Amino acid sequence: MTLKNKWVQLAILAAIILILPAFFPSGYYYRVGALVFVNALSVVGLVILIGYAGQISLGHAGFAGIGAYACALAPVHLGIPPVLAILLGAAISAVLALLIGRPILRLKGYYLGVATLGFGILVSMVLSNERGLTGGPDGMAVPSLGLRPLLRDMGLRLSGGEFWYIFNAAALLTGIWIALNLYQSATGRAMRALHGSETAAQTVGIDVSRFKLQAFIISAVYASVGGSLLALQNGFITPDVAGFMHSVEMVTMAVLGGVGSVLGATFGAAVLTLLPQILTVFHDYEHLVLGLVMILVMIFLPLGLLPSLAARIRWRGV
Amino acid sequence: MDALMQFVFSGLTVGAVYALVALGFTIIYNASDVVNFAQGEFVMLGGMITVFAFDAGLPLPLAAILAIVATAAIGVALNKFAIEPARGAPVVSLIIITIGASILIRGATQVLFDKQLHRLPAFSGDDPIHLLGATLLPQSLWVIGGAIAIFIALWLFFTRTLLGKAVLATANNRLAAQLVGINTGFVMTLSFALSAAIGALAGVLVTPITLVSYDVGVGLALKGFAAAMLGGMGNPKGALVGGLLLGLFEALTAGYISSQYKEAVAFVVILAVLFVMPQGLFGQKTTERV
């Protein structure tokens, strides 16, 4: 039994998700848990882009914004049910990633960083400036998903928190399952090869730009779905969802937990989602501590939290 | 025509600030291959510390010097405690470390000072100057003049002094520089001090126009980063041209197209330039070795 096995990884995560509610003192914790899962879903997408293919994006919140506003706007203006709006948002994000991906991904390192950053800023700017459509910086209400009444009619009574805890957990497990399958597939291997060295990958016949683009599109869809779920869960959305700080948060979650592994990234998402909830106790010191944690983890646990801890435990021979 | 001149003046004023932030990025990038996302925080610190020292009764020039020295010290601390220990880490980790540092500095400023907007009096009055059919605030001249002075001083430093040449040598090839006896560790420290001081000075100059609060750094860092990339990372001339161009794009867009989308146009132009010239305007084409 090894952690490399995808079923073992999924089983561990599913077990944690199932057991945790036993320790919840109040319904509020379901909401926080649901938030962790939604963030983790976006971050798993970034693992494919950063961890597998070795490309950075500082603008992925742009795709989250598209997903979020698709769920807010499509039901009102196009009469589409919210569930389909999630797919519509994902489709728009995928097409957009396809269109901008090819020119953007020719850039490397910091240049790729500034290009993706520019994309994210453009999206958030459109969202805050088109007041007539999006409500501007004040944000707008998001129609409810409508699944809960359906479940109630079937005799299943769930609180809002419980519903989103289960729904987002299912979405996350599905997302992780796909990511783990991708990791082992020929496509995943090609992506990881170009992470090591693009030139080397090219010489063995890997179509580098094609696999970079695929990673970019897949990760964009993850971020978009994450944004959609966030919007539906909150019932309200502001352009901040597409903002630079949200992009940074996503990358930080991925790298903090360990960008090489899907479970690690999920762990990172959990830590960074929970930290601000805990830090509200310290209120004024919230940012100070958050910045400090980011720096310290990067310096002392360069592989990320989970892989570093795992390596340390193995090293001690436990 | 008058309107055009007006837009050009305001574009050059903001552009000069972007250029100074971009220059800060460039200096640190050359010395350590790190893009320091906390660069905008140096500008903020320059403004904030000056405001509080000035309000505490210090004369303005003294308050400004205090702010610049204190910010330089913070730059050195950033290098010693966050960048040096992470030497050799991948680009993503370094981005996160410097973004973490910027959040940390912002948080500390907010605790130490406050969350309010602050202003400084203009250095030489608020009477507008009439020039070429447009009006110009005297403080704008301070900003543009200050930027030009810094660029000239730096150019002299890099071409005329032994220390400046040591920095260039380190930027060019760290190992070779070490072999000829250059203390590259000191060069890195110096670079962080220098770029923090330049950022702080920019903050002092621009605060009478734009006001300052603990959270103005992010926007400035993004613009400075974009300007540095536009010019070609690591090239001081590129930083100057990139910054001024970015300022002009924004001002002209705001004037003729849409003030809401001025930043959008700036980024569209930058993306367009990067697609045509992936290394920026003045960047050097390098070949990756396997």
Side-chain angles (χ1 to χ4, degrees), chain A residues 34-318:
Chain A
L35 195 62
V36 168
F37 301 150
V38 112
N39 284 336
L41 183 65
S42 303
V43 171
V44 168
L46 275 185
V47 167
I48 294 169
L49 185 68
I50 303 176
Y52 294 10
Q55 309 297 312
I56 192 174
S57 168
L58 293 180
H60 250 52
F63 295 115
I66 290 169
Y69 276 85
C71 283
L73 293 171
V76 180
H77 293 278
L78 303 175
I80 295 175
V83 178
L84 289 183
I86 301 178
L87 298 180
L88 179 69
I92 296 173
S93 292
V95 171
L96 209 58
L98 175 72
L99 291 178
I100 63 166
R102 202 168 273 277
I104 275 189
L105 290 165
R106 273 179 28 220
L107 304 167
K108 285 188 175 61
Y110 289 117
Y111 286 93
L112 182 61
V114 78
T116 48
L117 173 85
F119 163 74
I121 287 187
L122 292 183
V123 174
S124 73
M125 211 174 293
V126 170
L127 294 177
S128 23
N129 284 338
E130 297 304 319
R131 283 165 194 277
L133 203 59
T134 65
D138 297 334
M140 67 182 295
V142 181
S144 83
L145 186 59
L147 271 185
R148 206 148 64 88
L150 211 68
L151 287 175
R152 197 180 49 215
D153 293 343
M154 288 160 59
L156 199 61
R157 284 187 172 277
L158 292 171
S159 76
E162 287 166 344
F163 170 78
W164 283 109
Y165 186 86
I166 298 167
F167 190 81
N168 291 351
L172 174 63
L173 287 172
T174 314
I176 288 181
W177 177 69
I178 295 171
L180 289 175
N181 276 329
L182 181 71
Y183 187 83
Q184 292 167 334
S185 72
T187 306
R189 280 202 302 275
M191 285 174 183
R192 285 182 282 147
L194 69 94
H195 188 176
S197 160
E198 278 181 31
T199 322
Q202 209 145 26
T203 51
V204 295
I206 291 171
D207 186 346
V208 169
S209 58
R210 189 180 122 212
F211 287 107
K212 273 196 208 173
L213 191 60
Q214 281 185 3
F216 193 65
I217 295 172
I218 295 170
S219 65
V221 169
Y222 271 84
S224 179
V225 174
S228 292
L229 295 182
L230 192 69
L232 288 165
Q233 183 193 337
N234 288 339
F236 195 84
I237 206 75
T238 67
D240 282 347
V241 69
F244 173 63
M245 280 321 286
H246 190 211
S247 288
V248 169
E249 259 173 43
M250 280 161 53
V251 176
T252 309
M253 285 172 181
V255 180
L256 198 66
V259 79
S261 84
V262 171
L263 273 196
T266 308
F267 186 59
V271 171
L272 264 204
T273 312
L274 296 176
L275 204 58
Q277 310 279 342
I278 301 163
L279 287 179
T280 45
V281 180
F282 305 106
H283 196 58
D284 285 343
Y285 295 89
E286 183 183 334
H287 286 116
L288 215 154
V289 177
L290 192 62
L292 208 57
V293 169
M294 285 166 73
I295 297 173
L296 291 179
V297 170
M298 284 301 106
I299 293 174
F300 295 108
L301 304 170
L303 292 174
L305 285 172
L306 205 57
S308 295
L309 291 179
R312 206 151 288 190
I313 291 168
R314 222 167 295 150
W315 184 67
R316 284 199 191 127
V318 178

